[in-house]
Amino acid sequence: MTNNEEVKNGVIFPVGEKNEAFAQYFIGQSYLQSLVADKDVNVGVANVTFEPACRNNWHIHHDGFQILLVTGGEGWYQEEGKQAQSLKAGDVIVTHDGVKHWHGAKQDSWFEHIAITAGTPEWLEPVEDDWYLQL
């Protein structure tokens, strides 16, 4: 059974299109709706929706940060060397410059967050299935 299916229709903002631009950095299907894409503003704001078990690769934001505002469903967030944190609507995550991390949906739940991102991402290795499935 899949939890939080209402998220697939968007909670606050539209789900957007399939996230083809970044698909190579995700396991599973995600959707992306840009909310702020102003070249004069050095911060991107987007609604990111994850199908169940979808997650992004480990990554680092250089010369910037990332703030995640969880708006729906259930997911995971983990920084390198720390335990994975369970996420639900209303949670806020702040990732500082240079911190290796990943985030995504739980195995049985849709997941959605607003990502406020500055700096340049460095995409790294995927979060392996064997490890992820033990969460």
Side-chain angles (χ1 to χ4, degrees), residues 1-14:
M1 179 175 168
T2 302
N3 295 323
N4 302 296
E5 286 199 41
E6 69 280 1
V7 171
K8 69 182 174 184
N9 298 316
V11 175
I12 299 171
F13 298 102

Side-chain angles (χ1 to χ4, degrees), residues 16-96:
E17 301 297 320
K18 286 186 177 182
N19 188 2
E20 302 297 342
F22 294 94
Q24 65 186 342
Y25 306 119
F26 283 72
I27 294 174
Q29 184 64 59
S30 67
Y31 302 84
L32 182 65
Q33 175 67 49
S34 180
L35 302 174
V36 176
D38 184 329
K39 65 181 183 201
D40 295 327
V41 176
N42 195 24
V43 176
V45 181
N47 185 39
V48 185
T49 304
F50 300 76
E51 288 187 357
C54 177
R55 68 253 185 213
N56 54 31
N57 288 6
W58 287 95
H59 57 287
I60 297 170
H61 299 280
H62 294 287
D63 301 317
F65 58 84
Q66 187 170 58
I67 299 169
L68 305 177
L69 307 174
V70 180
T71 56
E74 295 177 62
W76 294 108
Y77 171 84
Q78 184 177 21
E79 293 181 359
E80 183 176 46
K82 296 183 179 179
Q83 295 279 38
Q85 294 176 245
S86 180
L87 300 177
K88 64 184 181 333
D91 288 339
V92 176
I93 295 291
V94 177
T95 305
H96 294 276

